[in-house]
Amino acid sequence: MVKIAVCGAAGRMGQRIIVAAKEAGCTVSGALERPGHELVGQDAGLIAGCGALGVAISTISTPWSRGCDVLIDFTTPKVSLKNLEVCSLKKKAIVIGSTGFTPEERALAAELARDIPAVLAPTCRSGQRLLQGIEGCCQDPGDDFDVEIVELHHNKKKRLTVRNCRAHGRGRGRGPGRDYNKVANYHREGICGERTKEEIGMQTVRGGDIVGEHTVTSSAWESGSRSPTAP
């Protein structure tokens, strides 16, 4: 029976993981939260809504690796890297769902995970993973395509997930591509002028308990005339 420790156990994803682990017949051996969290000391199963597990939520600083086979971490890059370092030393498997990693942090994570089973998946929704693969639309659309993205999430979402998409154009034989970090336009108001050929419009909606919806629209235009030819 797989023994799982969950870091970020009191959060939305942490609670869902605890429920899923119980349903799958796994053992929740540890539940971790940041020091000072109001739910430290509470039964992780009761907090998750799946019944008492006899596992109290403890702080991240508490030794947790002894009784687990795998750590599932949905926290922050800084915390995840520290946990990954422990897993590397203790030869434990780890799944990281934290978002917001910089390229340098990703490189460090890859180095730390070199000798252990590890998954770094900043988003675990299948639709979002599919969206990350729309390279023809985002990576190298060419100047004759206007790309607009709309992202919808619940009101507790802390980060812009689409920012992690592979929209960093590097060219694939059709041109130099676009660098999302340079051309993304997050705000339009008043007389903002015509959009540039390079920009990628990025609009966000936050509300209620929306699990996550992402829409990419790529509109083609006749070169020079800027009149629509195909949605």
Side-chain angles (χ1 to χ4, degrees):
M1 186 177 295
V2 179
K3 298 178 181 179
I4 297 173
V6 180
C7 194
R12 293 168 65 96
M13 282 301 299
Q15 292 179 42
R16 288 301 305 151
I17 291 167
I18 289 171
V19 173
K22 182 178 180 180
E23 292 175 347
C26 299
T27 297
V28 178
S29 62
L32 311 173
E33 265 299 343
R34 68 181 185 276
H37 194 285
E38 60 182 2
L39 294 178
V40 168
Q42 300 295 309
D43 188 285
L46 292 178
I47 297 301
C50 62
L53 295 175
V55 177
I57 297 176
S58 59
T59 64
I60 295 173
S61 59
T62 303
W64 50 263
S65 61
R66 186 178 304 169
C68 82
D69 300 313
V70 56
L71 175 68
I72 302 180
D73 182 317
F74 277 78
T75 55
T76 65
K78 183 178 180 180
V79 173
S80 296
L81 286 173
K82 289 183 178 180
N83 287 334
L84 180 54
E85 186 174 3
V86 174
C87 287
S88 180
L89 290 172
K90 301 294 185 179
K91 303 304 179 185
K92 304 288 184 177
I94 186 170
V95 176
I96 297 175
S98 307
T99 61
F101 282 85
T102 66
E104 293 76 18
E105 288 171 331
R106 280 181 170 274
L108 176 57
E111 178 63 24
L112 291 171
R114 183 174 54 184
D115 298 321
I116 60 171
V119 175
L120 176 58
T123 177
C124 292
R125 283 177 51 79
S126 58
Q128 179 69 22
R129 301 302 296 173
L130 177 63
L131 180 63
Q132 289 181 338
I134 308 180
E135 296 183 356
C137 179
C138 290
Q139 274 201 312
D140 192 7
D143 288 344
D144 291 334
F145 285 84
D146 292 339
V147 179
E148 297 286 315
I149 302 173
V150 178
E151 182 205 57
L152 295 83
H153 266 289
H154 53 78
N155 56 21
K156 304 297 183 183
K157 187 68 177 177
K158 296 179 180 179
R159 292 186 176 87
L160 179 61
T161 56
V162 176
R163 188 178 181 85
N164 293 321
C165 283
R166 303 181 185 280
H168 303 283
R170 292 293 179 266
R172 300 184 62 183
R174 299 194 300 272
R178 308 181 194 182
D179 186 332
Y180 180 84
N181 289 324
K182 294 180 179 179
V183 301
N185 187 343
Y186 297 95
H187 181 74
R188 297 187 180 111
E189 183 179 4
I191 303 176
C192 58
E194 296 183 5
R195 77 186 314 281
T196 67
K197 290 183 178 181
E198 296 80 14
E199 75 181 72
I200 296 176
M202 178 67 245
Q203 309 303 319
T204 62
V205 177
R206 293 289 182 266
D209 59 355
I210 301 172
V211 175
E213 299 177 13
H214 306 83
T215 303
V216 177
T217 302
S218 180
S219 300
W221 303 80
E222 291 181 2
S223 180
S225 69
R226 303 293 288 172
S227 59
T229 58

